[in-house]
């Protein structure tokens, strides 16, 4: 009696993800009735392949906690949240939340936010291409019109806010900046974007994240500036606007509909 | 319109981003480049910039690793549509996938897993390939797997299975000679005997790659298909045998892990090209 067509698949998949399961029935080798060692090749391929996918997406998290810790954590994550898509470049979007709740990583409260930054970095890397608008597009607006315009943000723009200095931590562990004790331990909001072929990561000035998030949510410039001012009384609209344009974050400007 | 797989009968190389600068620095005497489809399914960014530049200059083969054609479950339509988009964007000369499964119950296991060869699985694989070919509007090539275990329920020899799928669907075959060697050694069989009964008239591409050697619990050889080292002498010799019998065929060098520098990889392609050129000269003489 042959097995149901899909049965081999179910028991095979189950035994791959759970190392304590025996080799499924019906699996043989020419020289062994129960080819444990041979089946382990598949188990290892799955575990190592998915760990590598996470390593390549979260290299700074791995650098901070070490290869061994990362591998152990990846093993648990893979078992709890295996990928749902063959498009592995998106695998690990949920790793930051997993880290935040991962008991053995509790001594590193900033780790989850560093992981959020790294996840955003890969999203930015693979985001759609677009040519940012140059500064000349902003010349000659009258002040009233400026408040009403909306900004269509470059698709690669990502913002990650944190009560920890995540941009400095990231830079020091990715080779962008020399590793040193962080004297001024304070929160940093990260701006991740890819106006050129390379992804750029930088810390935003106070109020900058509120400003950009408001714009990204579709609010007009005037309302976005109010949101930033509510958070940072010294918010500098001119400086942030120049930064917005200079960083290549503007794909398009949407003008308000003329009033009838 | 049905686009037929059409690679030149020359040596090609699996593209790795770390070689991009070297490749673009000078014209490369290569027949084609092959890329893994799943690495180019994002919307934009450097991967597409590189693939676009490569495509402008070279013949392109798109090789999928995540379609799970050998699964008894329905194909992932979303993934098939991503493949379709990729093929429309780059118009590759060939598209290939594996006789294997990699997804079950919506979980992607990220390995090319084996299936039993039975009339039921044959019917299912045939349906899947029909679906892929009609969605993409092109012929696909199906690759023979490297395997470590066997299923007691299998009733059809692998070559018969592949041949029958090709007959029923019109798909071409991708003959991976390293996989033939790895599987034969792992199952106590003769790679040459396997190759000598392979339907060469259905083969539209050959893959060559490196493997690792381990042993199983009873001291038997356990070869692992790692693509992390040079092609072995044994596989080169099987390749020469195949080319002498089948004539020149498009031949890809696969080196996916512990990727070497560009000259080392290109050297492997030169070795394959020499064997191909000898065959062309012999047939011309």
């Amino acid at each position: 009696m042959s097995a149901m067509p899909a049965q081999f698949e179910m028991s095979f998949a189950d035994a791959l993800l759970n190392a304590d399961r025996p080799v499924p029935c019906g699996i043989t080798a020419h020289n062994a009735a129960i080819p444990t060692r041979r089946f382990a090749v598949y188990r290892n391929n799955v575990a190592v392949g998915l760990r590598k996918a996470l390593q390549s997406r979260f290299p700074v998290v791995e650098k901070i906690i070490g290869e061994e810790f990362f591998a152990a954590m990846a093993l648990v994550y893979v078992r709890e949240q295996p990928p749902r898509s063959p498009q592995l470049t998106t695998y690990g979007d949920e790793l930051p939340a997993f880290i935040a709740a991962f008991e053995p990583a509790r001594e590193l409260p900033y780790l989850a936010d560093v992981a959020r930054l790294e996840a955003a970095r890969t999203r930015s890397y693979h985001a759609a291409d677009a040519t940012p608008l140059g500064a000349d597009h902003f010349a000659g607006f009258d002040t009233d019109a400026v408040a009403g315009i909306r900004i269509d943000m470059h698709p690669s723009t990502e913002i990650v806010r944190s009560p920890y200095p995540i941009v400095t931590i990231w830079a020091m562990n990715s080779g962008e900046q020399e590793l040193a004790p962080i004297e001024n331990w304070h929160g940093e909001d990260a701006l991740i974007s890819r106006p050129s072929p390379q992804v750029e990561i930088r810390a935003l000035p106070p109020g900058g994240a509120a400003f950009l998030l408001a714009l990204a949510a579709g609010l007009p410039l005037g309302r976005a500036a109010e949101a930033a001012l509510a958070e940072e009384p010294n918010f500098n609209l001119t400086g942030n606007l120049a930064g917005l344009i200079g960083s290549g974050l503007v794909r398009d400007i949407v003008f308000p509909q003329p009033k009838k | 319109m049905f686009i037929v797989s059409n690679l030149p009968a020359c040596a090609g190389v699996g593209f790795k981003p770390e070689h991009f600068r070297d490749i673009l620095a000078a014209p490369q005497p290569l027949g084609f480049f092959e890329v893994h489809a799943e690495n180019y399914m994002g919307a934009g960014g450097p991967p597409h910039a590189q693939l676009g530049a490569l495509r402008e200059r070279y013949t392109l083969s798109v090789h999928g690793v995540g379609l799970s054609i050998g699964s008894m479950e329905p194909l992932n339509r979303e993934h098939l549509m991503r493949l379709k988009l990729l093929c429309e964007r780059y118009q590759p000369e060939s598209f290939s996938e594996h006789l294997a499964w990699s997804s079950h119950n919506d979980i992607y296991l990220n390995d090319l897993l084996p299936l039993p060869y039975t009339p039921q699985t044959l019917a299912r694989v045939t349906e899947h390939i029909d679906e892929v070919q009609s969605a993409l509007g092109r012929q696909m090539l199906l690759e023979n797997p490297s395997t470590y275990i066997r299923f007691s329920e299998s009733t059809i020899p692998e070559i018969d299975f592949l041949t029958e799928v090709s007959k029923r669907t019109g798909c071409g075959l991708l003959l991976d000679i390293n996989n033939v060697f790895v599987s034969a050694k792992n199952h106590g069989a003769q790679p040459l005997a396997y190759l000598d009964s392979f339907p060469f008239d259905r083969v539209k591409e050959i893959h060559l790659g490196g493997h690792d050697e381990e042993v199983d619990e009873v001291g038997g050889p356990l070869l692992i298909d790692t693509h992390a080292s040079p092609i072995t002498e044994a596989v080169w010799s099987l390749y020469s045998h195949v080319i002498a019998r089948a004539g020149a065929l498009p031949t890809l060098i696969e080196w996916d892990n512990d990727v070497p520098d560009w000259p080392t990889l290109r050297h492997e392609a030169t070795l394959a090209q020499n064997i191909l050129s000898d065959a062309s000269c012999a047939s011309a003489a």
Side-chain angles (χ1 to χ4, degrees):
Chain A
M1 178 76 194
S2 91
M4 290 295 287
Q7 199 184 308
F8 78 87
E9 222 174 280
M10 199 167 29
S11 51
F12 205 112
D14 188 51
L16 285 178
L17 290 170
N18 298 287
D20 48 344
R21 297 272 202 288
V23 176
C25 287
I27 285 175
T28 66
H30 71 105
N31 62 353
I34 303 170
T36 310
R37 188 79 188 71
R38 289 165 186 277
F39 189 75
V41 176
Y42 293 110
R43 233 174 220 153
N44 187 58
N45 282 352
V46 172
V48 172
L50 294 177
R51 185 187 75 211
K52 279 187 176 170
L54 294 172
Q55 279 172 322
S56 71
R57 195 167 180 196
F58 299 95
V60 166
V61 169
E62 189 186 21
K63 174 105 191 293
I64 291 171
I65 62 179
E67 209 174 311
E68 211 173 313
F69 192 130
F70 190 91
M73 185 175 77
L75 207 61
V76 181
Y77 179 72
V78 164
R79 194 171 306 157
E80 285 184 14
Q81 302 188 45
R84 300 280 159 181
S85 162
Q87 199 184 340
L88 276 189
T89 47
T90 63
Y91 183 47
D93 275 338
E94 313 304 326
L95 187 68
F98 172 87
I99 290 175
F102 190 56
E103 194 55 31
R106 215 176 44 161
E107 282 174 33
L108 302 173
Y110 53 84
L111 194 65
D113 282 355
V114 173
R116 285 168 66 214
L117 188 155
E118 290 205 283
R121 179 175 174 272
T122 328
R123 278 195 300 274
S124 179
Y125 182 84
H126 290 290
D129 301 315
T131 310
L133 283 192
D136 51 326
H137 287 84
F138 287 82
F141 294 164
D142 64 57
T143 329
D144 296 344
V146 167
I149 67 171
R150 289 177 164 81
I151 303 294
D152 177 17
M153 303 283 271
H154 193 281
S156 69
T157 311
E158 297 266 350
I159 290 147
V160 176
R161 308 196 66 175
S162 177
Y164 307 102
I166 52 168
V167 177
T168 307
I169 294 170
W170 178 83
M172 284 183 174
N173 287 283
S174 64
E176 299 272 315
Q177 199 177 312
E178 206 165 310
L179 203 56
I182 299 173
E183 304 283 343
N184 181 13
W185 189 266
H186 62 288
E188 282 177 349
D189 297 330
L191 167 65
I192 301 112
S193 65
R194 201 197 74 225
S196 69
Q198 294 308 315
V199 176
E200 291 168 16
I201 297 179
R202 69 179 79 174
L204 285 163
F211 180 60
L212 292 178
L213 285 169
L215 289 176
L219 293 180
L221 210 52
R223 295 271 306 282
E226 284 167 22
L229 279 165
E231 211 175 85
E232 170 54 45
N234 296 320
F235 176 73
N236 176 347
L237 177 59
T238 318
N240 274 273
L241 201 51
L244 178 75
I245 301 159
S247 306
L249 301 185
V250 182
R251 174 162 65 180
D252 207 358
I253 305 168
V254 184
F255 292 94
Q257 296 294 316
K259 290 196 181 76
K260 286 183 181 165
Chain B
M1 193 177 63
F2 191 71
I3 302 164
V4 174
S5 172
N6 181 30
L7 294 172
C10 303
V13 161
F15 171 65
K16 296 288 144 197
E18 46 267 61
H19 298 144
F20 182 70
R21 276 167 174 271
D22 284 329
I23 291 168
L24 268 271
Q28 305 294 334
L30 291 167
F32 63 103
F33 281 94
E34 188 162 287
V35 295
H36 285 177
E38 283 70 14
N39 293 338
Y40 299 91
M41 289 182 167
H48 284 289
Q50 293 191 348
L51 187 53
L54 208 62
R55 209 284 162 270
E56 262 178 40
R57 294 163 176 82
Y58 295 97
T59 298
L60 181 68
S61 167
V62 169
H63 189 53
V65 297
L67 202 49
S68 204
I69 283 172
S71 174
M72 295 302 101
E73 295 182 339
L75 290 180
N76 179 337
R77 290 292 302 178
E78 257 177 61
H79 195 64
L80 187 53
M81 287 306 109
R82 284 195 287 265
L83 269 177
K84 185 177 163 67
L85 203 67
L86 188 67
C87 286
E88 281 169 359
R89 185 164 175 179
Y90 293 101
Q91 298 290 331
E93 276 74 12
S94 185
F95 170 71
S96 49
E97 251 284 356
H98 301 83
L99 179 59
W101 59 285
S102 51
S103 291
H104 177 75
N105 205 5
D106 281 344
I107 292 174
Y108 176 62
L109 294 157
N110 190 39
D111 194 22
L112 297 165
L113 301 164
L115 57 145
Y117 301 138
T118 67
Q120 288 159 311
T121 59
L122 177 63
R124 196 66 172 141
V125 168
T126 301
E127 277 172 25
H128 282 164
I129 292 181
D130 282 340
E131 189 182 345
V132 172
Q133 294 189 135
S134 68
L136 301 183
R138 55 170 68 232
Q139 179 188 41
M140 65 159 276
L141 309 184
L142 183 65
E143 176 176 342
N144 60 298
S146 57
T147 54
Y148 310 110
I149 53 95
R150 275 183 167 164
F151 293 91
S152 50
E153 62 179 298
S154 283
T155 53
I156 305 172
E158 185 171 281
I159 291 181
D160 295 359
F161 193 98
L162 287 163
T163 307
E164 191 56 29
V165 169
S166 169
K167 277 185 189 163
R168 290 188 194 178
T169 63
C171 77
L173 297 180
L174 193 173
L175 172 59
D176 187 316
I177 297 180
N178 182 56
N179 288 359
V180 170
F181 185 76
V182 165
S183 294
K185 290 291 169 194
N186 285 341
H187 302 310
Q190 293 302 323
L192 209 54
Y194 182 99
L195 286 172
D196 280 343
S197 47
F198 207 85
F200 291 139
D201 56 327
R202 296 180 182 277
V203 175
K204 297 209 150 196
E205 186 185 351
I206 286 181
H207 274 184
L208 299 174
H211 59 260
D212 283 359
E213 281 190 47
E214 294 183 14
V215 287
D216 67 10
E217 51 266 74
V218 294
L222 176 50
L223 269 48
I224 322 269
D225 182 27
T226 46
H227 297 179
S229 53
I231 295 153
T232 61
E233 277 309 315
V235 170
W236 278 123
S237 138
L238 292 172
Y239 174 63
S240 296
H241 177 82
V242 167
I243 297 303
R245 290 202 44 185
L249 284 164
T251 301
L252 183 85
I253 309 296
E254 289 186 298
W255 200 324
D256 297 316
N257 298 297
D258 301 334
V259 175
D261 63 11
W262 175 243
T264 306
L265 182 55
R266 203 180 60 178
H267 175 69
E268 296 278 287
T270 306
L271 295 178
Q273 188 58 54
N274 292 344
I275 293 169
L276 288 169
S277 304
D278 287 350
S280 305
C281 295
S283 64

